[in-house]
Amino acid sequence: MNNYLLFTIPFFLLWLTSRIAYQYSMTMFAMIKLKALDQSLNQLYYSFEQVVYFYNQTTRVKAIKQMNRKDIHLRYDYHPFIFTELTGIYIELRHEQTLTLAYLPIDQFMLPYLDQKMQENALDYQSSKRISIAKLFHPDTKKKLIDEVYNQMTVGRYS
């Protein structure tokens, strides 16, 4: 029984802290890399053009028609169980039931500054992806993603 606990407890602790450690490591990596490029996470421009919507403005779903901005939440999609890696973000409406409104795949999250630096060979793809992930963990980006989906679902992009 002791051997079982000696294996289970560290495994369980690793699993509990892996996502927190992942977020922290992505943020620290981004801050270091961007500092070398005289840039910061707050200054990076981004685009949500590649968000995949599952409903549109003309939907007849009652919950979507009556939704409030405070009912929209983000759910991060991590791939492996132990060594986590963010693969996308689900934008969900949580009211009486949970409806997935949209999905943003990480590989489609656009940061023009990072694309420019990759073309100049000042940054590689993996570093660019890590910085993009760190930008998605930033509180302002989370808020703006929720605002973007809410506006798209209620008003429409070009209205």
Side-chain angles (χ1 to χ4, degrees):
M1 182 68 174
N2 257 351
N3 290 337
Y4 177 73
L5 286 178
L6 287 175
F7 174 75
T8 306
I9 292 173
F11 182 77
F12 185 69
L13 289 174
L14 176 67
W15 177 71
L16 283 177
T17 61
S18 63
R19 291 184 181 178
I20 296 166
Y22 176 74
Q23 287 182 6
Y24 180 75
S25 68
M26 290 295 124
T27 303
M28 293 308 297
F29 177 85
M31 289 171 59
I32 292 167
K33 280 288 190 181
L34 290 172
K35 187 174 183 177
L37 296 170
D38 287 332
Q39 189 65 264
S40 75
L41 237 100
N42 293 335
Q43 296 172 331
L44 288 178
Y45 172 75
Y46 51 90
S47 171
F48 294 127
E49 290 179 13
Q50 298 302 321
V51 172
V52 178
Y53 290 91
F54 300 120
Y55 299 94
N56 62 21
Q57 183 187 6
T58 60
T59 186
R60 301 216 186 275
V61 177
K62 185 178 178 183
I64 293 174
K65 287 289 188 187
Q66 299 174 347
M67 74 177 166
N68 291 320
R69 193 177 311 251
K70 65 178 174 58
D71 296 329
I72 299 175
H73 300 275
L74 303 179
R75 181 172 54 92
Y76 292 99
D77 183 27
Y78 294 96
H79 178 54
F81 181 69
I82 298 293
F83 300 108
T84 60
E85 184 177 345
L86 187 66
T87 57
I89 299 177
Y90 287 100
I91 300 93
E92 298 178 333
L93 173 63
R94 294 184 192 157
H95 193 59
E96 295 170 4
Q97 62 182 8
T98 300
L99 289 173
T100 302
L101 301 174
Y103 181 76
L104 175 61
I106 295 305
D107 292 334
Q108 300 297 316
F109 181 56
M110 293 190 231
L111 294 142
Y113 177 79
L114 299 180
D115 292 339
Q116 175 188 354
K117 290 300 175 187
M118 282 177 26
Q119 283 191 350
E120 296 171 359
N121 290 324
L123 203 60
D124 59 46
Y125 174 75
Q126 281 302 108
S127 297
S128 173
K129 186 175 178 180
R130 287 178 179 173
I131 295 169
S132 296
I133 290 169
K135 184 65 176 171
L136 283 169
F137 287 137
H138 195 274
D140 290 342
T141 309
K142 292 178 191 178
K143 182 184 177 307
K144 288 182 181 176
L145 178 57
I146 289 171
D147 291 345
E148 172 72 19
V149 170
Y150 178 79
N151 291 336
Q152 179 69 22
M153 299 296 293
T154 57
V155 179
R157 183 176 297 253
Y158 303 108
S159 297

